[in-house]
């Protein structure tokens, strides 16, 4: 019965893809095997992607991958066959195994089709596109915190985060159809108790976009489930995962590059700041010529609502933000506080410039921080303060998302309310 349900889920994924013009090959038969939670993630660099899915226990699943050629229909004959580099019984519902695959040597500006196969057959077709080299854009989502059903929040807003998350993904990828990847700032799912998370992970990974755009997720305190949240690792094949910063199994800090920019994602459930610093120094040493250094993490050090005075956030602000300045990080993207805050340019925890302009020219060691609001409408915290670091703050009680355009000399971050209003737009030039 379980199997049957998931086969339908795979088919509806492909159907949803049709609306986004990722059309399945009509000649291809309906899927005959059980898979779920199919999700692309960033690879170590722009020519790579990773793929994770849950399939049958002990089943020999593999991926077929085909690059589209101009004027030719997709043929699975002669498709590249890629086998998992990691597969093990999933630590949630019985009867599932997680599988992780690396897709490498991908060409720029290309469309690829893939499907997951076993001896019994193959799933429907999924598609993804690669970008050109050079300038690119990515999308950022704060705390989707997906759970099933609805609740009424503290401000009277009726929350439905699984529907809201799907709506935000649809609007944002419609706006930035060539987004290089989808970054989350953590709290992808809601339950602190791991036993309650499986259905939430299914709902978080249900929108078709997660099989067509690579994700770059952070680990939130909810995902972390009091250091037992190993389902995060089982759902995402991530590049360059370190032992440093690990809380739940496999959730350490990780890094990747995209067209010359270095991205470092920290698991701030770990307050081992020396470990985070060592990790960042290693990542920077491995990528000394990176154009920009961008950090993503869950616990925003500079926000304006419920959490700025929490002990963990205060420790991150006082101890980690000076490290970001010392390591010449350009931009730090966080979540956790379910409001939008753009900081002033900060030197450590100190305001370096009280310029709230939309076009900033940081000096060396000056860092811009963005705290992102909920991307699903799953929870909103009322603004508090004032706080000395807040240049722009907003609580729209509507789901938000942010686009970041990465150019060689400028980063531009634009934050939208779902439905269209621009909440904030800010650019930084490279430090001089
Ligand atoms: Fe959250």
């Amino acid at each position: 019965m379980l199997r049957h349900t998931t086969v339908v889920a795979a088919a509806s994924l492909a159907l949803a893809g049709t609306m986004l013009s990722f059309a399945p090959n009509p000649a291809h038969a309906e899927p005959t095997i059980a898979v779920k939670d199919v999700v692309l993630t960033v690879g170590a660099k722009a020519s790579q992607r990773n793929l994770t899915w849950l399939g049958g226990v002990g089943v020999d699943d593999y991926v077929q991958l085909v690059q589209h050629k101009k004027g030719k229909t997709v043929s699975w004959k002669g498709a590249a066959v890629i086998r998992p580099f990691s597969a093990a019984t999933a630590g949630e519902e019985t009867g599932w195994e997680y599988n992780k695959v690396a897709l490498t040597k991908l060409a720029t500006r290309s469309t690829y089709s893939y499907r997951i196969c076993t001896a019994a057959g193959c799933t429907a077709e999924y598609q993804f596109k690669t970008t050109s080299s050079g300038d690119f854009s990515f999308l950022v989502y704060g705390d989707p915190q997906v759970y099933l059903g609805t609740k009424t929040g503290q401000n009277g807003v009726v929350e439905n985060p699984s529907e809201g998350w799907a709506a935000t993904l649809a609007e944002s990828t419609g706006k930035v159809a060539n987004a290089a990847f989808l970054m989350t700032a953590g709290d992808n799912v809601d339950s602190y108790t791991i036993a309650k998370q499986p259905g939430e992970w299914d709902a978080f990974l249900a929108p078709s976009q997660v099989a067509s755009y690579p994700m770059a997720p952070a680990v939130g305190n909810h995902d972390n489930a009091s250091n037992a949240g190993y389902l995060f690792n089982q759902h995402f094949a991530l590049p360059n995962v370190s032992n440093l910063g690990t809380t739940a199994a496999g959730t350490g800090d990780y890094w990747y590059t995209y067209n010359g920019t270095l991205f470092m994602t920290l698991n701030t459930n770990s307050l081992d700041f020396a470990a985070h610093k060592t990790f960042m120094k290693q990542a920077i040493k491995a990528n000394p010529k990176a154009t920009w250094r961008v950090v993503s993490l869950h616990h925003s050090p500079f926000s304006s609502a419920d959490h700025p005075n929490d002990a963990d956030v205060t420790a991150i602000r006082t101890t980690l933000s000076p490290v970001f300045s010392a390591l010449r990080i350009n931009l730090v993207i966080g979540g956790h506080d379910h409001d939008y805050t753009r900081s002033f340019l900060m030197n450590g925890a100190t305001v370096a410039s009280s310029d709230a302009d939309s076009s900033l020219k940081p000096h060396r060691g000056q860092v811009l921080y963005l705290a992102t609001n909920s991307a699903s409408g799953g929870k909103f915290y009322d603004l508090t303060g004032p706080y000395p670091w807040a240049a722009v703050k907003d609580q729209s009680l509507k789901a938000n998302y942010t686009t970041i355009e990465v150019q060689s000399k400028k980063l531009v971050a634009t934050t939208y309310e779902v439905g269209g209003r621009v909440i904030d737009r800010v650019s930084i030039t490279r430090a001089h």
Side-chain angles (χ1 to χ4, degrees):
M1 188 57 205
L2 190 63
R3 290 284 164 102
H4 177 72
T5 309
T6 56
V7 166
V8 172
S12 60
L13 260 179
L15 199 67
T18 309
M19 294 184 287
L20 290 156
S21 79
F22 293 112
N25 181 347
H28 179 62
E30 282 300 294
T32 54
I33 63 162
V35 300
K36 66 172 184 174
D37 298 0
V38 178
V39 55
L40 274 181
T41 42
V42 288
K45 52 187 174 180
S47 62
Q48 302 179 1
R49 302 280 184 275
N50 291 315
L51 181 67
T52 310
W53 71 91
L54 300 190
V57 174
V59 173
D60 178 24
D61 327 37
Y62 59 93
V63 170
Q64 288 184 326
L65 179 72
V66 182
Q67 183 181 1
H68 289 208
K69 300 281 186 212
K70 228 178 185 170
K72 291 196 176 165
T73 50
V74 170
S75 166
W76 296 107
K77 279 182 194 146
V81 169
I82 305 135
R83 291 189 182 278
F85 64 80
S86 177
T89 304
E92 40 177 322
E93 305 133 84
T94 47
W96 293 97
E97 181 174 86
Y98 70 86
N99 302 273
K100 296 182 177 183
V101 157
L103 311 175
T104 60
K105 297 182 181 162
L106 303 171
T108 55
R109 298 179 61 175
S110 296
T111 302
Y112 286 86
S113 288
Y114 69 93
R115 61 184 188 175
I116 297 157
C117 300
T118 71
C122 297
T123 63
E125 176 185 337
Y126 302 91
Q127 288 188 6
F128 67 89
K129 289 180 159 76
T130 56
T131 66
S132 49
S133 57
D135 296 355
F136 64 98
S137 296
F138 63 99
L139 285 155
V140 179
Y141 306 93
D143 301 58
Q145 221 166 306
V146 167
Y147 58 81
L148 307 177
T150 61
K151 282 183 202 165
T152 302
Q154 62 177 23
N155 13 49
V157 177
V158 177
E159 305 160 348
N160 186 340
S162 17
E163 271 187 18
W165 170 234
T168 302
L169 280 177
E171 177 174 315
S172 55
T173 56
K175 193 178 300 263
V176 190
N178 64 345
F181 52 87
L182 315 178
M183 173 188 282
T184 78
D187 281 0
N188 305 286
V189 295
D190 183 59
S191 286
Y192 281 112
T193 312
I194 192 166
K196 293 184 182 168
Q197 283 188 359
E200 297 177 351
W201 282 111
D202 293 347
F204 176 75
L205 298 172
S208 61
Q209 290 83 3
V210 307
S212 298
Y213 291 91
M215 299 202 81
V219 191
N221 52 306
H222 288 252
D223 308 313
N224 189 51
S226 307
N227 296 348
Y230 56 82
L231 295 183
F232 178 91
N233 172 52
Q234 295 190 351
H235 279 99
F236 299 117
L238 295 167
N240 303 310
V241 179
S242 175
N243 288 327
L244 298 165
T246 302
T247 51
T251 60
D253 300 343
Y254 69 94
W255 65 265
Y256 52 100
T257 64
Y258 204 96
N259 293 358
T261 290
L262 172 62
F263 293 89
M264 295 171 279
T265 303
L266 306 184
N267 176 359
T268 45
N269 295 293
S270 164
L271 298 180
D272 185 344
F273 300 126
H276 292 309
K277 182 178 180 181
T278 301
F279 163 79
M280 287 187 281
K281 287 174 86 171
Q282 290 171 352
I284 289 166
K285 197 176 173 193
N287 300 280
K289 291 187 177 158
T291 320
W292 300 94
R293 296 172 184 166
V294 177
V295 165
S296 62
L297 45 70
H298 181 60
H299 301 76
S300 291
F302 302 102
S303 62
S304 308
D306 204 46
H307 291 303
N309 297 317
D310 292 357
D312 53 355
V313 171
T314 302
I316 289 165
R317 184 166 57 245
T318 53
T319 310
L320 209 47
S321 63
V323 177
F324 294 145
S325 285
L327 296 180
R328 291 157 56 199
I329 305 301
N330 303 104
L331 173 67
V332 176
I333 298 164
H336 191 49
D337 209 25
H338 301 240
D339 65 291
Y340 174 77
T341 301
R342 184 228 293 182
S343 77
F344 291 113
L345 288 173
M346 304 298 295
N347 200 328
T350 307
V351 173
S353 156
S354 56
D355 185 354
D357 240 24
S358 58
S359 167
L360 302 172
K361 293 184 173 58
H363 290 269
R364 196 171 157 136
Q366 296 182 349
V367 184
L368 180 70
Y369 293 81
L370 297 179
T372 55
N373 203 339
S374 164
S376 67
K379 192 198 293 177
F380 300 108
Y381 289 127
D382 293 333
L383 295 173
T384 59
Y387 298 103
W389 51 75
V392 176
K393 55 185 181 176
D394 185 88
Q395 180 50 276
S396 60
L397 302 178
K398 294 231 170 92
N400 287 188
Y401 59 94
T402 299
T403 66
I404 308 227
E405 298 159 61
V406 182
Q407 305 163 10
S408 60
K409 294 191 172 136
K410 206 193 242 191
L411 282 181
V412 187
T414 309
T415 297
Y416 298 88
E417 187 180 281
V418 167
R421 180 175 73 102
V422 173
I423 291 169
D424 188 30
R425 184 175 169 89
V426 59
S427 70
I428 51 172
T429 54
R430 284 170 69 188
H432 55 281

